Amino acid sequence: MTTEFRHFNGGEPIDAEALGAAVQSHLTYTLGKDAAHATRYDWRMALSYAVRDRITDAWFAATRKTYAEGAKRVYYLSMEFLIGRLLEDALVNLGLADAAEAALKAQGLNLMEVVCDEPDAALGNGGLGRLAACFLESLSTLGCPAMGYGIRYEHGLFRQSFEDGRQVERPEHWLSQQHPWEFERPEARFRLGFGGHVEHVDGRAIWHPAEVVEAEAYDTPIIGWEGKWANTLRLWSAKAVHPFDLGRFNHGDFYGAAEPEALARTISRVLYPDDTTDEGKTLRLKQEFFFTAASLRDILRRFDSEHDDLALLPQKVAIQLNDTHPAIAGPELVRLLHDERGVEFHEAVRLARGCLSYTNHTLLPEALEAWGEGLFAHLLPRHMEIIRRIDEDHAAQYPDRASRILDHGTVRMGELSFLMAHHVNGVSALHTELMKETVFSDLHRLHPERIINQTNGVTPRRWLKSCNGALSDLLTETIGTGWVRDLEQLSRLEPMIGGAGFIEKYAAAKRENKTVFGNWLNEEFNLNVDPDAMFDAQIKRIHEYKRQHLAILQTIADWQAIHDNPNGDWTPRVRIFAGKAAPGYVFAKEIIHLINDVAAVLNADKVTREYLQVVFLPNYNVSLAERIIPASDLSEQISTAGKEASGTGNMKLALNGALTIGTLDGANVEIREHVGAENFFLFGMTAQEVVARREIDGHAGRAIAECPALGRALEAVRSGRFSAGEPDRYRGVVENVSGPDYFLVASDFASYHAKQAEVSAAYRDRDAWARMAAYNTARSGWFSSDRTIGDYMSQIWGAKSLL
Ligand code: 26W
């Protein structure tokens, strides 16, 4: 946390003293606490309110300017916003970090301890949710009028802990304390219906819902760099129209009396913890319709307040669908325009399509939402009719089409999103090409101009400036502060990397981060790691396609090799794993158990542990990522080629000077192109080779036969070497990798194992390694979400910055 910009937009300059006074006044008058008795929570709340006051000015100014200019607005609809903590982000974006540090120091408090008292807003599962959060921060930094719309889950992603190495899930309680960053908006409430029937009278359709619930808004300001602009994240909370049934209460039916409220709240009670499998649950569809319908009503209410010609809608409103989860937006907008406002059906469809665009984040078949027609028609009878008509109109227009929305009794939300969007984008160059060749090949043939690519990005404020002070200070000292707002300025480092001076400081910054992280591991988990060892991180959701089981099998092979030759000149390495498995995903939970079991054996192994340690950190979330990433030397991006749509952790790690060992998958391809093949450890099959390899019978058996190291590692697992007393514990994992092995762990093992040996050798030349790492930082500027959002604004939304 570094340099301040004293002169703050919209408000008077503020220094430590003034900020301290603001904190003190909030402690007294907002928290009602005497400093003598104030807890860390109280100081955090007081500081948060004092900082929030400084955000509000920019927020109001942005809203007023948007109205004044009648500007086009971007609406980002997402079931997930993986925000993390907000206090430090606000301090850094407002340039108040040092002032806050000094103000708290004056009270005998440590800023980082106060910052870490804030619970993460874990309103997302992984990549999709975090991308949405990075995008909101970049939209504000660019001064683009925008709003994020989502659900105010009472319980975010579950808390993960390990019992005997197994994942245990517990509810997450971020709202059990006051949440200082949101404002309740009782005036922004909408009634939404479910179920019921549709009455058709003289050509008009009238939907009579059977169940009604209210959506109430809670607003969180999203501040941008240097506090020049702030947009709103509006999250909807479900409330009962009549929360309390006094009649039942008076009859002593206390449950019955509370039932309406409990039932309604269920809709925004908890985030579904699946990030790749469409469970097809009714509540999930209710959640999707709930926030989408409330958002569209709010969008039209705002439009009506400024315009009275609906034909202007596509010029003033750009709605981005973050995957298919808000896809009902198409039929619902048509319903609002046609059924409620009398716009002709096809005109309503044209206007809706003019507003909507859709991002696809996965090609995994099991993740593509397809609702049962029965369930869908029961919950949304009118939308079912509208979807049927849209599908029939498209069939009439393209008689030779192969794809359809209504297919084998399901409603395919990918096809619906495609047909109702003016643009469809993938999230990396490879992913977008694979979309055209696979899931949307037929629709791409019919609408060749609709699919474009927008490679993901990450915000450099949170993922470099804020989480990596040591490196940020060096960057600013070396090339000035411009990089924070224009990340491609990092390329100015290049001339300095070859020479002396900068590279030593660069290596020192990494080593300082590793020391700090090592101390934290020691405090939290009583682990002792050597900051000179290679910190090798695989941090992401647990999934077969991400192949954490490939990483642990290779770790076992390395362990066995060290045992074969204990006096060999081994490169010390700490393999860091972190990530949650969807509660119902048995195989992923077995992988977690296996990694913890291997860690227990290896970390206790006196012969090998000075060369090889394994740690699985529990409860991976945004805040833990902010701790691990600055301290990482190696970034594991080892998914089966063609499966990871993009990845964003890969970008964060490269930016923070970790070298990537990875396949040609997702954005790895573009990272390698930008940082240089010589600064990237590539291994494994390409997406094409993967498809070909699968055709070969017994491909796994062949690979095992050709790679003794793999066979030996598998044998150790199969024989219960890591599960004393339950030898068969991992029979499933071993049989899968030796048999069907759909994600080709066995077939990519030899290449991976050999590449890891190269990595170990490369790490021994610390100077050369530091230079490769510095080239990764210097050449990762393109992966800023400012670049991504700039392209969405110009190529999809037609939105302009008002800064
Ligand atoms: C229906 C259940 C469900 C929930 C979430 C299915 C699929 C999802 C998300 C699309 C999964 C996800 O997070 N995808 C990730 O999105 C990132 C941002 O674009 C990419 O970087 C990752 O590669 C992709 O896996």
Side-chain angles (χ1 to χ4, degrees):
M1 291 209 265
T2 52
T3 51
E4 309 292 358
F5 23 88
R6 293 241 162 278
H7 300 293
F8 163 67
N9 282 308
E12 71 296 337
I14 183 164
D15 57 17
E17 208 185 320
L19 183 59
V23 171
Q24 188 63 54
S25 114
H26 274 294
L27 189 68
T28 308
Y29 300 109
T30 308
L31 275 295
K33 266 299 184 80
D34 182 333
H37 307 293
T39 63
R40 182 180 296 163
Y41 166 81
D42 297 323
W43 286 108
R44 170 170 67 86
M45 294 301 276
L47 176 59
S48 301
Y49 287 130
V51 171
R52 192 182 76 174
D53 294 349
R54 324 220 81 71
I55 289 176
T56 312
D57 305 327
W59 193 20
F60 288 5
T63 305
R64 290 193 194 109
K65 188 160 189 182
T66 304
Y67 274 101
E69 314 229 348
K72 182 169 193 176
R73 288 181 181 83
V74 171
Y75 295 106
Y76 201 83
L77 270 57
S78 180
M79 276 283 270
E80 305 183 16
F81 288 95
L82 195 41
I83 294 165
R85 294 179 176 132
L86 277 172
L87 176 53
E88 189 176 11
D89 181 68
L91 288 170
V92 166
N93 268 311
L94 292 171
L96 291 175
D98 291 1
E101 186 132 43
L104 289 184
K105 204 183 190 123
Q107 302 290 344
L109 291 154
N110 169 287
L111 177 60
M112 273 322 281
E113 285 169 9
V114 169
V115 160
C116 293
D117 179 69
E118 180 181 345
D120 270 38
L123 308 181
N125 279 284
L128 170 139
R130 181 57 233 178
L131 186 82
C134 283
F135 277 10
L136 288 188
E137 198 268 355
S138 281
L139 281 161
S140 291
T141 293
L142 271 64
C144 175
M147 283 185 79
Y149 278 115
I151 296 179
R152 181 181 181 267
Y153 301 105
E154 281 181 52
H155 303 284
L157 188 60
F158 63 85
R159 283 183 297 125
Q160 176 198 51
S161 57
F162 298 134
E163 283 168 16
D164 308 326
R166 294 169 191 275
Q167 171 178 294
V168 172
E169 304 92 19
R170 287 192 178 75
E172 188 281 327
H173 300 286
W174 75 298
L175 289 176
S176 59
Q177 300 170 320
Q178 191 80 43
H179 178 45
W181 301 105
E182 68 175 6
F183 294 87
E184 185 173 4
R185 299 294 193 218
E187 76 283 3
R189 285 174 88 109
F190 296 99
R191 285 199 179 170
L192 309 165
F194 295 105
H197 67 282
V198 183
E199 183 193 6
H200 289 275
V201 274
D202 46 18
R204 292 198 53 225
I206 303 165
W207 177 25
H208 301 285
E211 183 192 341
V212 179
V213 63
E214 286 203 337
E216 183 189 0
Y218 288 73
D219 288 354
T220 298
I222 304 291
I223 192 79
W225 178 237
E226 293 184 331
K228 292 186 176 134
W229 190 270
N231 284 320
T232 303
L233 170 58
R234 177 159 280 188
L235 299 177
W236 300 101
S237 180
K239 311 274 165 115
V241 177
H242 307 294
F244 181 58
D245 186 326
L246 184 61
R248 286 175 165 181
F249 188 90
N250 291 342
H251 288 88
D253 173 6
F254 303 139
Y255 280 108
E259 190 189 38
E261 199 237 355
L263 271 182
R265 272 177 75 183
T266 304
I267 293 174
S268 57
R269 184 77 83 161
V270 64
L271 166 77
Y272 268 88
D274 314 286
D275 76 330
T276 51
T277 311
D278 168 23
E279 294 292 324
K281 296 273 189 335
T282 308
L283 179 58
R284 169 84 181 186
L285 181 55
K286 286 180 101 172
Q287 289 184 331
E288 294 184 353
F289 180 71
F290 166 77
F291 96 94
T292 302
S295 305
L296 288 174
R297 287 216 179 274
D298 198 40
I299 291 168
L300 288 183
R301 177 193 55 72
R302 190 172 299 105
F303 176 84
D304 291 342
S305 72
E306 291 181 293
H307 312 282
D308 48 22
D309 176 3
L310 279 171
L312 280 176
L313 210 56
Q315 276 82 44
K316 297 299 179 181
V317 170
I319 299 172
Q320 191 67 32
L321 306 179
N322 199 18
D323 217 278
T324 59
H325 313 152
I328 194 66
E332 174 63 2
L333 188 48
V334 169
R335 188 184 73 82
L336 293 170
L337 296 173
H338 177 63
D339 292 5
E340 298 195 359
R341 292 160 183 254
V343 177
E344 187 278 326
F345 186 84
H346 296 99
E347 174 58 11
V349 170
R350 193 188 65 74
L351 285 174
R353 186 179 294 121
C355 297
L356 297 168
S357 43
Y358 152 55
T359 302
N360 172 280
H361 295 268
T362 182
L363 300 176
L364 295 176
E366 68 268 27
L368 302 175
E369 294 188 297
W371 295 101
E373 267 191 43
L375 160 63
F376 202 99
H378 172 73
L379 211 60
L380 301 166
R382 179 54 184 151
H383 300 79
M384 194 64 214
E385 293 174 354
I386 292 171
I387 289 172
R388 197 178 301 285
R389 190 161 173 195
I390 291 169
D391 212 13
E392 284 160 4
D393 288 354
H394 190 258
Q397 222 176 331
Y398 301 93
D400 69 338
R401 72 172 193 169
S403 46
R404 60 194 75 260
I405 303 172
L406 301 177
D407 182 47
H408 297 91
T410 68
V411 184
R412 301 182 61 77
M413 302 310 271
E415 279 70 12
L416 171 62
S417 304
F418 191 109
L419 292 190
M420 285 306 294
H422 60 83
H423 275 97
V424 172
N425 76 280
V427 290
S428 77
L430 174 63
H431 170 64
T432 300
E433 287 317 303
L434 291 174
M435 272 169 64
K436 294 173 181 175
E437 293 158 16
T438 58
V439 284
F440 293 127
S441 55
D442 182 57
L443 288 171
H444 176 57
R445 175 178 60 84
L446 300 173
H447 307 278
E449 77 304 328
R450 202 167 286 185
I451 295 181
I452 63 170
N453 180 48
Q454 295 296 351
T455 297
N456 284 164
V458 299
T459 168
R461 272 69 67 183
R462 183 178 292 269
W463 296 111
L464 187 48
K465 172 77 175 156
S466 177
C467 73
N468 195 338
L471 178 53
S472 297
D473 292 353
L474 174 61
L475 297 177
T476 300
E477 174 197 316
T478 311
I479 59 172
T481 57
W483 61 270
V484 184
R485 176 61 191 79
D486 174 14
L487 201 57
E488 293 193 65
Q489 287 188 22
L490 292 178
S491 61
R492 293 185 188 165
L493 298 168
E494 293 219 30
M496 298 162 214
I497 296 174
F502 171 76
I503 202 65
E504 287 78 12
K505 292 180 189 166
Y506 183 90
K510 177 61 75 176
R511 194 174 191 295
E512 181 191 332
N513 290 330
K514 293 172 68 176
T515 305
V516 169
F517 181 61
N519 294 341
W520 180 76
L521 285 180
N522 188 263
E523 281 151 35
E524 290 292 313
F525 305 99
N526 193 20
L527 279 166
N528 292 309
V529 295
D530 168 6
D532 285 321
M534 183 200 308
F535 287 8
D536 169 350
Q538 187 172 21
I539 50 176
K540 52 189 73 224
R541 288 293 295 253
I542 310 299
H543 197 287
E544 281 165 276
Y545 85 80
K546 295 174 185 279
R547 300 200 293 191
Q548 281 90 355
H549 46 330
L550 171 59
I552 200 65
L553 282 170
Q554 197 279 326
T555 304
I556 294 167
D558 271 357
W559 173 65
Q560 292 171 321
I562 297 170
H563 261 294
D564 295 347
N565 173 15
N567 306 319
D569 58 350
W570 302 104
T571 301
R573 195 189 285 226
V574 180
R575 300 201 67 148
I576 301 160
F577 292 90
K580 294 173 180 176
Y585 193 173
V586 175
F587 195 99
K589 293 177 110 169
E590 280 184 6
I591 292 175
I592 291 177
H593 197 186
L594 174 60
I595 295 171
N596 280 322
D597 275 350
V598 170
V601 170
L602 268 59
N603 297 347
D605 186 323
K606 295 186 178 45
V607 174
T608 62
R609 66 179 171 201
E610 70 178 291
Y611 300 119
L612 188 51
Q613 283 174 290
V614 176
V615 292
F616 199 132
L617 301 175
N619 204 36
Y620 181 57
N621 60 15
V622 170
S623 294
L624 183 52
E626 290 174 21
R627 276 187 193 280
I628 300 172
I629 289 171
S632 300
D633 296 304
L634 190 68
S635 161
E636 299 275 349
Q637 310 299 333
I638 63 175
S639 53
T640 311
K643 293 299 178 187
E644 189 71 85
S646 164
T648 45
N650 48 6
M651 298 166 184
K652 295 160 189 170
L653 284 154
L655 199 52
N656 283 273
L659 298 185
T660 303
I661 181 166
T663 53
L664 282 178
D665 195 18
N668 293 356
V669 175
E670 290 152 273
I671 290 173
R672 184 168 174 268
E673 283 163 6
H674 278 85
V675 306
E678 70 283 5
N679 300 311
F680 188 104
F681 295 102
L682 178 67
F683 79 95
M685 287 174 278
T686 63
Q688 282 70 23
E689 289 164 343
V690 161
V691 174
R693 179 71 182 181
R694 271 209 201 100
E695 302 308 308
I696 299 171
D697 278 348
H699 51 78
R702 290 164 184 251
I704 295 166
E706 289 155 17
C707 180
L710 172 58
R712 200 170 157 211
L714 279 171
E715 178 48 31
V717 176
R718 193 198 60 68
S719 64
R721 180 68 186 80
F722 305 104
S723 51
E726 192 191 339
D728 284 350
R729 180 179 293 172
Y730 298 112
R731 173 189 296 277
V733 172
V734 172
E735 283 176 355
N736 178 288
V737 171
S738 317
D741 193 24
Y742 181 80
F743 294 100
L744 301 175
V745 166
S747 299
D748 257 349
F749 184 91
S751 171
Y752 179 55
H753 190 40
K755 192 55 68 170
Q756 285 288 19
E758 258 182 58
V759 168
S760 291
Y763 188 74
R764 302 178 75 78
D765 181 342
R766 306 308 297 275
D767 183 60
W769 183 278
R771 292 181 203 282
M772 290 197 285
Y775 279 118
N776 270 266
T777 296
R779 296 171 178 174
S780 290
W782 188 77
F783 296 98
S784 166
S785 47
D786 298 347
R787 179 268 316 157
T788 313
I789 289 297
D791 290 347
Y792 272 88
M793 288 168 67
S794 55
Q795 297 166 23
I796 296 180
W797 301 328
K800 297 253 175 314
S801 165
L802 294 193
L803 274 182

